[in-house]
């Protein structure tokens, strides 16, 4: 499904005020793949080491204009800021490639409350851990690292986060 079509579907949900009570992932929940990320400081962490009720996994490219717009949108989202501020959610923003000069420059502009890293060794792509169709890509995980939303639109993600933040 191309990005424009996904965006249009998300806009329809948003404009109609429709927010699915459950994740669009059907059947048994899929477990997220663990991986190691490296931050600008050189410190490393893993997805599975994160401890939060909700994890917003955000794959981006520092040279992608859509990614810049989504970063701005998420950073201004009331639901995102409430959940992060209440320590109920971690945002893990990952460039799924090796660090570049562009990534280092963009890393300084990422919201400080988020964890921002890159994939040293580019294993996310080469091992097919998250076969993304496009960037940016959003995944919403629960505390057990089950995928609740997969490659979701910003609208779908915000809708679900609003629902979670009101509980």
């Amino acid at each position: 499904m191309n990005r424009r079509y996904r965006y249009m579907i998300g806009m329809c949900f948003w404009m109609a005020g429709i927010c699915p009570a459950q994740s669009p992932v059907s059947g048994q929940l899929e477990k997220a793949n663990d991986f190691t990320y490296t931050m600008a400081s050189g410190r490393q962490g893993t997805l599975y080491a994160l401890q939060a009720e909700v994890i917003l996994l955000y794959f981006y490219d520092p040279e992608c204009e859509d990614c810049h717009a989504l970063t701005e949108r998420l950073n201004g989202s009331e639901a995102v800021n409430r959940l992060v501020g209440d320590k109920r959610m971690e945002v893990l923003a990952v460039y799924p490639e090796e660090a570049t000069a562009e990534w280092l420059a963009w890393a300084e502009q990422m919201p400080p409350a988020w964890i921002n890293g890159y994939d040293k060794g580019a294993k996310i792509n080469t091992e097919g851990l998250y076969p993304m169709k496009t960037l940016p890509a959003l995944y919403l995980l629960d505390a057990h690292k089950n995928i609740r939303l997969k490659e979701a639109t910003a609208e779908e993600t915000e809708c679900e986060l609003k629902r979670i933040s009101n509980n």
Side-chain angles (χ1 to χ4, degrees):
M1 184 182 300
N2 70 39
R3 184 180 329 137
R4 182 178 181 88
Y5 185 66
R6 284 177 47 214
Y7 177 76
M8 289 171 59
I9 290 172
M11 280 299 285
C12 290
F13 278 126
W14 179 74
M15 291 180 77
I18 298 168
C19 182
Q22 300 261 334
S23 158
V25 176
S26 61
Q28 191 169 358
L29 293 174
E30 181 182 349
K31 200 79 154 162
N33 290 310
D34 195 16
F35 63 89
T36 300
Y37 57 88
T38 304
M39 294 177 275
S41 66
R43 226 175 74 227
Q44 293 187 316
T46 66
L47 172 64
Y48 275 32
L50 297 178
Q51 299 296 313
E53 178 184 334
V54 181
I55 298 168
L56 179 58
L57 182 53
Y58 170 32
F59 293 107
Y60 74 95
D61 183 325
E63 297 183 72
C64 159
E65 289 304 316
D66 288 342
C67 299
H68 291 204
L70 181 57
T71 299
E72 219 172 282
R73 178 179 180 153
L74 293 172
N75 190 38
S77 166
E78 184 180 321
V80 169
N81 290 321
R82 184 179 316 124
L83 288 166
V84 170
D86 291 346
K87 307 281 188 236
R88 293 176 63 196
M89 182 172 80
E90 291 277 7
V91 178
L92 175 57
V94 178
Y95 175 45
E97 297 290 337
E98 290 281 352
T100 61
E102 292 80 15
W103 180 81
L104 285 169
W106 181 246
E108 295 174 7
Q109 299 174 39
M110 293 297 271
W114 297 6
I115 300 167
N116 182 42
Y118 66 92
D119 179 17
K120 190 174 187 175
K123 293 180 181 179
I124 291 169
N125 285 331
T126 60
E127 294 179 10
L129 298 179
Y130 292 86
M132 295 162 272
K133 295 177 187 115
T134 62
L135 290 176
L138 294 171
Y139 287 73
L140 192 63
L141 313 178
D142 64 21
H144 304 288
K145 311 309 183 273
N146 294 311
I147 298 172
R148 307 304 280 184
L149 294 175
K150 185 176 188 174
E151 290 194 76
T153 64
E155 292 80 14
E156 291 166 335
T157 303
E158 283 185 303
C159 192
E160 184 67 10
L161 291 175
K162 284 178 188 172
R163 189 184 70 73
I164 292 168
S165 71
N166 290 328
N167 288 337

